Amino acid sequence: MNEELRIRQARPGDVDVIIMILEEAAQLAASKGMPMWPLEFQAEPIAGGIERGEIYLALVGEQAAGTLTLQWSDPVVWGTMAADTGYVHKLAIRRAFAGRQLGLRLLAWAEEAVAAAGRSFLRLDCVATNPVLRDYYERAGFVYRGEAHGIGWQASLYEKQVRGGQPAPGAATAR
């Protein structure tokens, strides 16, 4: 099904719908024994991401179908890396829109946004113990680049060179 998908920057009035989408995805993952996020999200960090222009809302018709965050740095998970990268976080599709390839379409959109910004790589991470999500990203063309660890979490790191993107001279790739 290739219905019209419109992706726009989230607006301050979208905080509640973004939280609803993220919580729905978190609850579904937890119900399948693969928790990935907290079951509840706070409005303040979401509002901050919207204010910074990092959070996007995916619409099918006028219905909110999904969300993702696109950032230009990620020191917590990836450390200090070359400035030729975009980072996807909190990719989530509402259950009502499952099976329509919207996640892949959002990732393709993020690749285009990264290339349009003159950057060469799209990176993301997921819970290291979630084989379903890891396989999803690998099938989407992302290459496994190692693990990152923090207090109470372990993430698998993935990277994809974007179309037309060229590594910057001396650009480092996480391993």
Side-chain angles (χ1 to χ4, degrees):
M1 187 175 277
N2 197 15
E3 56 219 321
E4 183 180 344
L5 177 67
R6 189 166 48 93
I7 301 165
R8 66 163 172 81
Q9 275 192 320
R11 302 172 185 140
D14 295 326
V15 169
D16 289 341
V17 73
I18 299 288
I19 289 173
M20 181 268 304
I21 293 167
L22 293 172
E23 288 180 351
E24 181 181 305
Q27 290 166 1
L28 178 63
S31 75
K32 294 182 175 188
M34 295 180 277
M36 58 184 186
W37 298 322
L39 295 179
E40 293 183 8
F41 287 80
Q42 301 299 313
E44 192 170 298
I46 301 297
I50 290 172
E51 186 175 308
R52 289 186 300 276
E54 299 172 343
I55 299 178
Y56 294 83
L57 187 62
L59 302 161
V60 173
E62 294 303 313
Q63 292 187 300
T67 186
L68 67 70
T69 298
L70 180 60
Q71 298 172 301
W72 301 116
S73 68
D74 185 359
V76 172
V77 178
W78 284 85
T80 304
M81 302 294 293
D84 64 342
T85 302
Y87 300 86
V88 166
H89 287 287
K90 295 184 185 76
L91 171 63
I93 305 298
R94 292 183 56 209
R95 182 104 175 118
F97 294 90
R100 300 181 188 185
Q101 307 291 312
L102 296 183
L104 293 174
R105 291 168 67 191
L106 279 170
L107 288 172
W109 173 88
E111 286 179 46
E112 290 173 14
V114 167
R119 294 170 183 241
S120 301
F121 295 96
L122 180 61
R123 293 186 176 130
L124 52 80
D125 65 90
C126 67
V127 175
T129 57
N130 187 330
V132 173
L133 202 48
R134 292 181 64 170
D135 183 58
Y136 179 81
Y137 291 131
E138 289 171 15
R139 284 184 287 118
F142 286 83
V143 178
Y144 175 75
R145 294 297 188 206
E147 303 287 321
H149 307 270
I151 297 172
W153 60 271
Q154 179 178 347
S156 292
L157 305 176
Y158 287 91
E159 172 183 85
K160 186 174 188 180
Q161 188 166 352
V162 299
R163 285 180 300 216
Q166 297 297 319
T173 301
R175 303 270 179 224

